[in-house]
Amino acid sequence: MATEITAETAAVDNQTEQQAEQSQEAFGQLVEEKILRYFQNKEIANERKEENKMLFEEIEHFFEQMQEDELIFQLPNGEYAVLSKKATIREVLDKEALAHELLIAKDELKTPFDFSMLTAKGKLTPDMISRHTETETSIRVRLSKRKTKPRKKR
């Protein structure tokens, strides 16, 4: 009788092991499918980004030909698309020319610490920085979405 119980127990254990293996295989297959879908979605997103980049370049080109500063039109969902030009003004330090004037390598003008050390030593003056600072203006096309209709700029 003990051998019958042992045989039955072994059969039950064997059946449980097979179910566990099948469950593990199904889980592994599910994970593989999710991973595959993840990378497919990522590829689609990259393709869409590239398409949007090309579309924006075309929009920019047409907008520059129109010679207008702003274009507003209503989208099908009731929001408004606003295409406008935005000027950005920034000051740029010509580190190469400044390094040449100071008779040092350009690599020695990387961090604020470098500038402070040269100033502390008396080698760098605010006048030098002013001479090598230029104002740059760049005009960029901006495309945005608004919930309410924007007012016309004067």
Side-chain angles (χ1 to χ4, degrees):
M1 186 149 200
T3 53
E4 285 179 24
I5 294 175
T6 308
E8 284 179 22
T9 306
V12 169
D13 286 345
N14 192 20
Q15 188 177 9
T16 306
E17 270 183 41
Q18 287 176 346
Q19 287 176 345
E21 286 177 14
Q22 288 173 348
S23 175
Q24 190 69 23
E25 285 177 22
F27 181 74
Q29 194 173 18
L30 181 67
V31 170
E32 283 181 26
E33 288 173 11
K34 297 288 183 191
I35 290 171
L36 179 62
R37 181 120 187 255
Y38 173 83
F39 283 112
Q40 287 173 341
N41 285 346
K42 203 162 181 75
E43 190 174 315
I44 291 168
N46 287 338
E47 289 171 4
R48 290 280 169 93
K49 280 182 185 177
E50 190 63 35
E51 182 183 356
N52 277 351
K53 185 177 174 184
M54 290 174 24
L55 283 170
F56 188 76
E57 287 174 1
E58 290 176 22
I59 291 167
E60 225 174 2
H61 178 72
F62 289 131
F63 188 56
E64 287 172 2
Q65 289 179 348
M66 291 174 64
Q67 300 295 324
E68 289 189 35
D69 289 336
E70 189 174 64
L71 178 66
I72 301 169
F73 70 94
Q74 191 167 9
L75 299 170
N77 65 359
E79 295 179 325
Y80 292 87
V82 180
L83 187 62
S84 60
K85 291 181 182 177
K86 182 180 181 189
T88 306
I89 301 169
R90 64 185 197 138
E91 292 184 348
V92 180
L93 178 64
D94 185 0
K95 290 182 183 179
E96 193 169 317
L98 182 60
H100 182 71
E101 184 178 336
L102 292 170
L103 302 173
I104 59 173
K106 182 183 173 187
D107 293 345
E108 292 181 41
L109 291 174
K110 286 187 176 179
T111 65
F113 181 75
D114 297 336
F115 285 94
S116 66
M117 287 304 295
L118 289 168
T119 304
K121 291 177 183 176
K123 292 183 178 182
L124 181 62
T125 63
D127 184 49
M128 290 174 155
I129 292 176
S130 296
R131 277 198 309 266
H132 296 288
T133 301
E134 297 176 2
T135 303
E136 272 186 6
T137 304
S138 61
I139 298 173
R140 293 181 30 209
V141 175
R142 183 171 171 246
L143 181 59
S144 61
K145 199 164 53 167
R146 306 252 174 86
K147 292 191 183 285
T148 58
K149 186 172 184 174
R151 296 185 197 131
K152 286 277 186 181
K153 292 181 181 176
R154 293 183 184 180

